[in-house]
Amino acid sequence: RRLRLLRALVPRAHRRCRDDGVAEMLGNWECHCLPPATQPGGPGVAAAAECVLTGECADRTISEVCTSVGQTCRDPDAAVAGDWLCECVAPSMGASGMAAAGTCMLDECGTDCPTCAGTTCTAAEQECVDANQDYLAAGLRTWECRCVAPLSGWATAAAAGCREDECGMYGSTCTAQDQDCEDPDSTVAGDWECVCRAPGAGRATAAAAMCVVDECVGNAGVCTSAGQTCVDPHRTASSLGDWECRCAAPSTASAVAAAAACDVDECTLYGAVCTAAGQTCVDEEPSADGGWVCVCAAPLEDVREAGAAAACTLDECVVAAEGSAVPAAGMPNVCVSAGGQTCTDPATGAGSRGDWECRCAPPSTDAAVGAAAAQCTYDECS
């Protein structure tokens, strides 16, 4: 087919605007055609340039395949059909597309372009990174200046305000103790901290922390549900499993890692009731409330009443004079050994002593009071 050299005002992707940037000179901006288009009439001053495309690229339908994605159309051989290319427009770079859009990218860190970093990062002794190399609008001015360790910080399309990363410099002091490093204010020197990891608690500035591991934080419910108090006697990471449940006073019982069996000696609370009566307090059921009693001192006998002083008695017929025990077998009682007399203690109160009697057997009515047998007589005339 016959190919002709066509002249057209081609789409905007084939043109670029240039300005000298002098504020005093306005209206002198120029519009230049981009290769492979040519501009026979020169650049357009404050107006669009008249650009010329050749071959298949002169067909607007074909050229717009390229210009719609910011690329330029070039036909390397006007005599060959279907060999037109979409090429990247500087400063973007990439592979051309045969009869299709090319794969273009724009690394704004390494290319001289209006949106590129240029020397912004290097002048600040920082690293330039362009993670989004899309050459279209969405990827422009996405480059970053990043601070170099041990400094930290970054900024998009500008030099970063770098801060001293003290945890990067001193963090090993913390990690060596299984702790975390935190720098609360990167603008302040020497304020980095070592912070304990759970379940430990504690922090220290510019040094490893002394971590407190209070096991009662997680186990107190075991104790409180039984009316007891949780205590961790050694709150360090090296001493685990030694927390205790301790009973409420007056009980002193405790148990490790479990609820305690609280036995309360109630005589420590109520013993004064007994001692005031000359008696002894005994808690017969330490595991139960109200099990304490007062016990009379020997040789007195007692009628015990829980929670009160006992009623003490002394039957002197059961106890010999001077408080000796009842004579054992072979050692006859004073009254019995005197001819079958009967011992009687008319008053058994604890304060009534020496009033026991030996009473003669009937029909004699004689009796003797205290520590001696009676002289039994019987008047047969009566």
Side-chain angles (χ1 to χ4, degrees):
R1 67 193 173 103
R2 183 179 178 187
L3 296 175
R4 297 173 302 162
L5 178 66
L6 300 176
R7 173 173 296 178
L9 292 176
V10 298
R12 281 191 299 175
H14 288 285
R15 301 185 180 91
R16 174 161 293 171
C17 181
R18 296 178 183 174
D19 188 14
D20 57 14
V22 178
E24 289 77 11
M25 299 183 65
L26 301 178
N28 65 334
W29 57 273
E30 297 179 348
C31 191
H32 291 257
C33 298
L34 296 175
T38 61
Q39 48 190 35
V45 177
E50 185 177 335
C51 302
V52 175
L53 289 173
T54 60
E56 294 175 290
C57 290
D59 185 338
R60 182 177 292 272
T61 302
I62 291 176
S63 64
E64 285 185 348
V65 173
C66 306
T67 58
S68 63
V69 291
Q71 301 174 18
T72 187
C73 181
R74 184 172 69 87
D75 188 355
D77 190 342
V80 178
D83 66 339
W84 58 274
L85 304 171
C86 283
E87 296 182 335
C88 301
V89 177
S92 66
M93 301 175 64
S96 300
M98 175 70 77
T103 55
C104 303
M105 294 186 300
L106 176 61
D107 183 357
E108 294 181 289
C109 285
T111 307
D112 183 16
C113 66
T115 63
C116 291
T119 60
T120 301
C121 300
T122 55
E125 298 184 346
Q126 299 170 12
E127 178 187 8
C128 183
V129 176
D130 187 6
N132 183 356
Q133 295 189 6
D134 184 350
Y135 67 98
L136 299 178
L140 301 181
R141 297 193 180 278
T142 59
W143 54 275
E144 298 175 354
C145 285
R146 296 183 180 179
C147 301
V148 179
L151 302 180
S152 65
W154 60 272
T156 300
C162 296
R163 305 178 299 274
E164 187 174 37
D165 181 9
E166 292 186 296
C167 284
M169 300 173 66
Y170 309 111
S172 59
T173 301
C174 307
T175 55
Q177 300 299 320
D178 197 29
Q179 300 171 13
D180 294 321
C181 182
E182 293 182 2
D183 189 359
D185 189 344
S186 58
T187 64
V188 177
D191 67 335
W192 59 277
E193 297 177 331
C194 287
V195 182
C196 298
R197 295 174 181 171
R203 61 199 309 141
T205 300
M210 292 293 294
C211 296
V212 174
V213 182
D214 188 349
E215 294 184 281
C216 286
V217 172
N219 299 299
V222 175
C223 306
T224 56
S225 62
Q228 302 168 19
T229 302
C230 184
V231 176
D232 189 354
H234 306 103
R235 299 189 298 169
T236 62
S238 60
S239 181
L240 300 177
D242 61 345
W243 57 278
E244 301 176 358
C245 286
R246 295 183 179 178
C247 299
S251 175
T252 57
S254 64
V256 176
C262 298
D263 292 342
V264 179
D265 183 357
E266 293 182 291
C267 286
T268 60
L269 292 175
Y270 310 114
V273 174
C274 303
T275 55
Q279 301 169 17
T280 301
C281 182
V282 175
D283 191 350
E284 297 178 324
E285 297 182 70
S287 62
D289 292 336
W292 63 280
V293 293
C294 291
V295 179
C296 300
L300 302 178
E301 293 183 342
D302 49 60
V303 177
R304 300 178 183 179
E305 181 179 350
C312 299
T313 62
L314 177 62
D315 186 348
E316 293 183 284
C317 287
V318 181
V319 181
E322 304 304 327
S324 299
V326 175
M331 298 178 65
N333 181 275
V334 174
C335 300
V336 173
S337 63
Q341 299 178 18
T342 301
C343 183
T344 301
D345 189 355
T348 58
S352 176
R353 301 199 179 197
D355 61 343
W356 58 278
E357 302 174 353
C358 282
R359 293 183 178 180
C360 298
S364 176
T365 58
D366 294 323
V369 178
Q375 296 295 321
C376 297
T377 60
Y378 176 61
D379 184 355
E380 292 183 287
C381 290
S382 61

